[in-house]
Amino acid sequence: MVRKVAAAALLGLILTCAHAQDKVLRIVPHSNLAILDPIWTTAYMSRNHGYMIYDTLFGTDEKNQVRPQMVESWTESPDHRLWTFKLRKGLEFHDGKPVTGDDVIASLQRWGKRDAMGVALFGFVDRMDSPAPDTVRMFLREACSFVLDALGKPSSNVPFIMPRRVAETDAFKQIEDYTGSGPYVFVKDEFKPGDKAVYIKNKKYVPRKEPPSGSAGGKNVYVDRVEWNLALRDGQAQVNALKQGEIDILEQVPFELYESVKSDPNIQLPDFDRVGFQYMARFNHLNKPFDNVKVRRAVLAAFQQEPFLRAQVGVKELYHTCASIYTCGTPFASDAGSDIQSKSNMKKAQELLKESGYDGTPIVLMKPTDLAAIQKLPDVAAQLMRQAGFKVDLQAMDWQTLVGRRAKKDPIDKGGWHMFLTAWQAHDIWNPISNAALDCRGEQSGWFGWCKDDRLVELRGQFMREADPAKKKKLAEAIQARAFEVGTHVPLGEYRVPMAARKNISGFFVANGNLYWNIKKN
Amino acid sequence: MAVLVFLLLRLTPGDPAAILAGDAATAEQIDRIRASLGLDRSIEAQFAIWLGQVLTGDLGQSFYYRMGVATLIGQRLEPTLALALFTLVLSVCVAVPLGVLAAWRHGGWLDRGLMAFSVGGFSVPTFVVAYLLIWLVSLKLGWLPVQGYVRFSENHLLFLKHLILPSITLSFIYIALIARVTRASVLEALGEDYIRTARAKGLPETRVLLRHALANAAVPIATVIGIGIAILIGGVVVTESVYAIPGLGRLTVDAVLARDFPTIQGLILFFSFVYVMVNLLIDLSYAFLDPRIRY
């Protein structure tokens, strides 16, 4: 009996020591994780969860070039209508089953029903098949130029590859099975929403040989376990915990605490995001007076970017103005057509508004009071618009109320709206297809505001079909110029949100997002 | 209560479907999600379904977490219960002796000090107390962790270490409340004839205070402890947010922000139930504290 007890105690001690020796990476993500299906929602937290446990056919590197990931090789027929992808050897789901072409087809089909770029791509797809377990063929009705851009799409919704049995779930229902083939395995039993999410190293994962870069390259894992602390949501408490070494990585440092974090000798600010985010003001094109292009252009002239950035970000090294609606530093960035904003001033805005015949209708501007990342923008917008001659009805509400209200197409007297301001991660808006604000099919548009412009629809269609990179760039410029001309929305400058980590954490790479492979804990 | 909670939530602006769908979702996608949550039905129909569930002991399914509300509450109960019990014990242990001493030394420095503390305890917001304590005890002195919660079953010592600061934070207002009422009740008792008689009999002052004055002042003190449960519930929401404790308070904040109607409804019913039960127990304890009371 004594021996048994002693043996049990020894075993317990060994297990405890083994657990204590595990390298655990403790991360405070930027928000709560509630939805575990990254195809069902566009929430960035769900996307980041997806990157932990799933893999993708292609990735996008730090220079914004699409690179193969699960794909070993691929070919494109001379008429650009048949694409053949061959999968890498050794790809395996967490349950030990191999990744096959059927899994890929089912995953892409589900993604193609939810994601804006996926929907656009599947508008061209005639059919897909898998002539061999490691091969997938995509037959297009007509050639389109963004097959690889769509499959390597780095931000929501990312075309993650799931087992066929999971991917066959209705695209409008959330999945229940979180089996992936990515570098980490999700520990469902330890998931407590609002408390923590746990991932362990996928020991069977075969990383690519290339160094990590963006969402492409080798996904080597050097820790045993990653814990996302979902309970720690207060900015000051997050920074305190990082300073005390209770956490290893803080995904987003509040701007007001940036200097305090920067001056701490035990904390580093890894350079992981080169393109950052863009602020944006969006008009509701359905409601007067923003159904009038001249009124929208008056706003464009009034909204100089610097005041927004100074008020909201405040830290000079974290923001910059940018004339491009695709975000600066990305392949299609240019200043085409931006003079209306970048070379205007308040006098010009006042003149434009006078010419527009604006009748003094109060502009319902929605201000989220609880979202620190954008809550100061509407105050600046209201002030600038008043200076230009608008009457502004600045309505304060929490972000979730705003999210609900902006989906309404109703007129103002029935709870409608005129304008809201938001922020986009660069990779969501960096080309004319993924940039939701450029979808101008009126009430059929995929994003709130419902702009209508046949010329933009036509130009986007040409962009989708054009294969020549130089011509694509020209088309992207033409689309941007047209967007400024008709005032689809207003870009309000760009910023980076710094990530902070303890100095014993290394292996950060330019990811333009929060990706946790290659990270070492010493 | 159930009707009121249900209607208030439906009148609150905000759309759970839009929140769930994410920032780039289309209006059509949001409509489909709304239908899948049953929010496209009339309010009467939604209420009938929910009431039917509640009457059978089913608090429904969380929109946001896609788990049973009862399961969610069960997962988050331990941290809140531990925090509330620690706070309650700490508050009573500190506030009652303080109140008795202040009454005994009525008008003296202890009495005035207690009054000043009470004003401070009521006036200073819980989050300010929390940040000050974190700054001093955790950041400057490094004695205790700044955030988090460790379950009792995982590590007893860490469990205690993580609860000390939140409990002290939350107990400030509670100590102020109980100490003031204790002082007032004991002060009133000390002016009664039976106290004079006890002293005339030559009983030691400690016995006079505890056996006669405090015992007779116990009913109002017990009452205020019960009423204070509401303050405790409110304080838990703030304290859990600042100290990152994954309890019911934090769950309430998340549920409200996500317009997770079933979870909010379940939590309010749960808190109401706890409040009523605690006050029922307090009422029943009157018979024990004062033999003249009979039910």
Side-chain angles (χ1 to χ4, degrees):
Chain A
M1 182 64 186
V2 174
R3 279 183 185 176
K4 280 183 182 172
V5 171
L10 185 63
L11 182 65
L13 189 65
I14 291 167
L15 288 174
T16 307
C17 290
H19 187 68
Q21 284 168 359
D22 279 357
K23 283 197 174 172
V24 181
L25 195 62
R26 298 159 303 168
I27 298 167
V28 173
H30 68 271
S31 184
N32 191 11
L33 175 69
I35 300 165
L36 300 174
D37 185 344
I39 304 300
W40 192 85
T41 179
T42 57
Y44 289 153
M45 276 302 293
S46 303
R47 176 201 63 190
N48 294 353
H49 158 79
Y51 270 119
M52 296 293 280
I53 64 173
Y54 300 112
D55 213 345
T56 52
L57 293 181
F58 291 86
T60 299
D61 70 12
E62 65 177 79
K63 291 176 180 160
N64 302 313
Q65 299 299 310
V66 176
R67 303 279 178 215
Q69 188 54 241
M70 296 172 86
V71 164
E72 177 76 51
S73 60
W74 74 99
T75 59
E76 182 185 358
S77 66
D79 65 354
H80 310 294
R81 288 177 55 205
L82 170 60
W83 292 73
T84 307
F85 306 100
K86 190 159 191 250
L87 300 176
R88 279 198 287 141
K89 285 190 174 63
L91 297 178
E92 203 175 272
F93 286 113
H94 300 152
D95 59 7
K97 292 182 180 150
V99 179
T100 66
D102 288 339
D103 299 311
V104 172
I105 292 169
S107 299
L108 294 183
Q109 283 174 335
R110 186 165 187 265
W111 163 78
K113 288 176 186 144
R114 293 302 302 259
D115 178 63
M117 215 160 168
V119 170
L121 176 64
F122 273 80
F124 290 87
V125 174
D126 181 35
R127 65 188 170 89
M128 295 177 77
D129 70 8
S130 174
D134 65 347
T135 306
V136 175
R137 291 190 301 186
M138 184 182 278
F139 298 85
L140 305 181
R141 276 187 218 97
E142 60 174 309
C144 82
S145 66
F146 62 100
V147 173
L148 296 186
D149 290 332
L151 298 180
K153 187 176 185 281
S155 195
S156 297
N157 304 91
V158 178
F160 292 118
I161 303 304
M162 301 173 177
R164 181 181 169 181
R165 65 172 191 280
V166 180
E168 282 178 344
T169 307
D170 179 345
F172 290 88
K173 280 188 181 165
Q174 292 184 52
I175 57 171
E176 306 275 353
D177 177 345
Y178 310 110
T179 306
S181 66
Y184 290 96
V185 179
F186 180 59
V187 187
K188 193 179 173 184
D189 292 344
E190 290 195 52
F191 176 54
K192 291 195 180 73
D195 184 358
K196 69 174 176 179
V198 176
Y199 305 87
I200 55 170
K201 177 179 180 175
N202 175 11
K203 290 178 180 161
K204 290 185 269 182
Y205 184 76
V206 183
R208 295 187 71 90
K209 299 280 184 279
E210 301 92 331
S213 175
S215 60
K219 299 180 178 179
N220 290 287
V221 173
Y222 299 111
V223 293
D224 301 296
R225 182 179 165 94
V226 174
E227 290 182 2
W228 284 4
N229 183 334
L230 307 173
L232 188 52
R233 236 80 60 73
D234 176 77
Q236 183 65 61
Q238 290 173 343
V239 169
N240 289 342
L242 184 68
K243 287 187 171 195
Q244 291 302 98
E246 292 176 21
I247 58 169
D248 299 312
I249 296 173
L250 174 56
E251 262 186 17
Q252 293 192 355
V253 178
F255 297 130
E256 63 273 21
L257 297 171
Y258 176 69
E259 292 301 336
S260 159
V261 171
K262 194 180 168 190
S263 62
D264 191 306
N266 299 311
I267 296 175
Q268 58 177 317
L269 297 163
D271 177 22
F272 78 104
D273 187 0
R274 299 267 166 85
V275 285
F277 295 74
Q278 185 181 83
Y279 290 127
M280 176 191 288
R282 178 66 163 175
F283 306 109
N284 184 347
H285 295 242
L286 300 181
N287 280 332
K288 285 183 185 304
F290 287 142
D291 59 341
N292 179 346
V293 62
K294 289 179 180 173
V295 178
R296 298 197 297 268
R297 281 173 65 81
V299 176
L300 268 161
F303 279 6
Q304 299 300 295
Q305 295 182 351
E306 181 74 22
F308 288 95
L309 295 166
R310 212 168 44 236
Q312 185 61 57
V313 182
V315 184
K316 186 75 184 161
E317 65 197 75
L318 295 178
Y319 70 77
H320 60 267
T321 58
C322 172
S324 176
I325 58 173
Y326 305 120
T327 64
C328 288
T330 56
F332 300 112
S334 78
D335 59 1
S338 64
D339 286 3
I340 179 66
Q341 185 185 23
S342 59
K343 292 188 180 165
S344 288
N345 52 39
M346 198 49 76
K347 193 164 176 290
K348 171 87 173 167
Q350 289 162 349
E351 286 169 8
L352 285 168
L353 189 64
K354 207 170 179 183
E355 286 170 22
S356 73
Y358 170 64
D359 62 358
T361 303
I363 303 299
V364 174
L365 174 56
M366 298 191 288
K367 171 188 162 82
T369 52
D370 59 332
L371 197 59
I374 56 170
Q375 74 177 171
K376 293 171 189 162
L377 300 175
D379 295 310
V380 180
Q383 182 58 26
L384 292 174
M385 287 173 76
R386 283 177 184 131
Q387 283 179 25
F390 284 96
K391 278 186 187 167
V392 181
D393 178 8
L394 186 64
Q395 295 190 5
M397 60 194 75
D398 68 352
W399 173 247
Q400 307 301 4
T401 300
L402 190 156
V403 164
R405 191 164 166 190
R406 72 177 178 179
K408 291 184 176 179
K409 295 174 183 170
D410 301 335
I412 299 300
D413 58 357
K414 290 185 177 160
W417 56 277
H418 281 122
M419 186 191 279
F420 71 92
L421 296 97
T422 189
W424 286 93
Q425 203 157 30
H427 280 140
D428 284 321
I429 54 171
W430 70 331
N431 74 49
I433 308 170
S434 64
N435 193 321
L438 299 174
D439 181 359
C440 285
R441 293 174 293 142
E443 295 198 37
Q444 304 303 313
S445 301
W447 200 53
F448 319 101
W450 308 283
C451 60
K452 180 158 178 56
D453 185 67
D454 294 341
R455 177 69 184 142
L456 261 178
V457 174
E458 185 191 327
L459 285 169
R460 281 181 95 217
Q462 287 176 25
F463 181 88
M464 289 180 195
R465 289 168 178 83
E466 182 55 63
D468 183 302
K471 287 181 182 169
K472 277 184 87 167
K473 172 87 173 155
K474 286 274 179 210
L475 278 167
E477 286 175 9
I479 290 169
Q480 176 171 304
R482 181 67 181 169
F484 277 114
E485 190 183 338
V486 298
T488 53
H489 65 287
V490 193
L492 299 175
E494 292 168 15
Y495 66 101
R496 286 186 303 110
V497 182
M499 175 203 267
R502 300 285 300 177
K503 284 213 168 140
N504 61 329
I505 308 297
S506 60
F508 292 100
F509 56 99
V510 176
N512 299 327
N514 302 109
L515 306 176
Y516 294 110
W517 47 84
N518 205 50
I519 306 291
K520 294 175 182 165
K521 183 172 179 178
N522 304 312
Chain B
M1 171 60 86
V3 179
L4 187 67
V5 169
F6 187 91
L7 287 176
L8 278 177
L9 285 174
R10 264 55 184 189
L11 293 173
T12 310
D15 182 356
I19 295 161
L20 287 169
D23 211 30
T26 64
E28 286 67 32
Q29 288 172 342
I30 293 169
D31 285 343
R32 289 191 69 158
I33 293 169
R34 193 178 296 116
S36 73
L37 297 175
L39 292 170
D40 57 341
R41 297 192 184 106
S42 67
I43 289 183
E44 296 83 0
Q46 290 180 46
F47 181 69
I49 293 167
W50 179 67
L51 196 63
Q53 287 174 331
V54 170
L55 290 175
T56 57
D58 178 6
L59 293 177
Q61 186 92 354
S62 160
F63 290 164
Y64 193 52
Y65 295 119
R66 291 199 314 143
M67 294 171 75
V69 172
T71 309
L72 264 177
I73 291 175
Q75 274 187 359
R76 304 295 190 92
L77 190 58
E78 187 201 296
T80 303
L81 201 62
L83 177 60
L85 283 176
F86 262 62
T87 305
L88 197 61
V89 170
L90 182 68
S91 304
V92 172
C93 290
V94 173
V96 172
L98 268 180
V100 172
L101 288 173
W104 184 48
R105 288 285 176 251
H106 175 54
W109 64 266
L110 183 69
D111 187 25
R112 288 171 199 278
L114 179 71
M115 286 298 104
F117 171 80
S118 297
V119 172
F122 279 122
S123 314
V124 181
T126 305
F127 73 90
V128 174
V129 177
Y131 283 130
L132 286 174
L133 284 173
I134 289 171
W135 174 78
L136 181 66
V137 180
S138 301
L139 297 179
K140 289 291 163 194
L141 301 172
W143 290 347
L144 293 168
V146 298
Q147 56 83 36
Y149 176 77
V150 175
R151 288 185 181 268
F152 183 73
S153 56
E154 289 172 21
N155 188 315
H156 302 348
L157 185 64
L158 285 179
F159 166 79
L160 284 173
K161 282 180 83 171
H162 280 86
L163 274 179
I164 294 172
L165 275 190
S167 302
I168 294 175
T169 303
L170 192 51
S171 65
F172 259 66
I173 189 167
Y174 217 40
I175 289 173
L177 178 71
I178 299 172
R180 280 186 78 133
V181 171
T182 305
R183 175 191 171 276
S185 304
V186 172
L187 197 60
E188 194 182 334
L190 285 174
E192 296 290 338
D193 290 344
Y194 54 82
I195 297 292
R196 203 177 308 121
T197 307
R199 281 178 175 149
K201 278 164 61 184
L203 285 180
E205 196 60 12
T206 322
R207 193 170 167 79
V208 171
L209 277 174
L210 300 181
R211 181 87 181 120
H212 295 277
L214 182 60
N216 279 288
V219 169
I221 296 170
T223 306
V224 84
I225 290 172
I227 293 168
I229 292 293
I231 297 173
L232 201 62
I233 290 169
V236 156
V237 173
V238 177
T239 309
E240 286 184 357
S241 295
V242 175
Y243 288 100
I245 297 172
L248 294 174
R250 186 70 238 182
L251 180 63
T252 308
V253 174
D254 287 344
V256 170
L257 290 176
R259 301 291 188 277
D260 188 354
F261 296 158
T263 305
I264 304 169
Q265 288 159 188
L267 281 164
I268 292 176
L269 282 184
F270 177 77
F271 283 135
S272 307
F273 176 75
V274 169
Y275 186 75
V276 169
M277 289 312 291
V278 168
N279 279 282
L280 178 66
L281 286 174
I282 297 281
D283 281 355
L284 292 173
S285 75
Y286 291 166
F288 170 74
L289 296 170
D290 187 345
R292 290 170 298 181
I293 298 173
R294 286 282 175 269
Y295 293 110

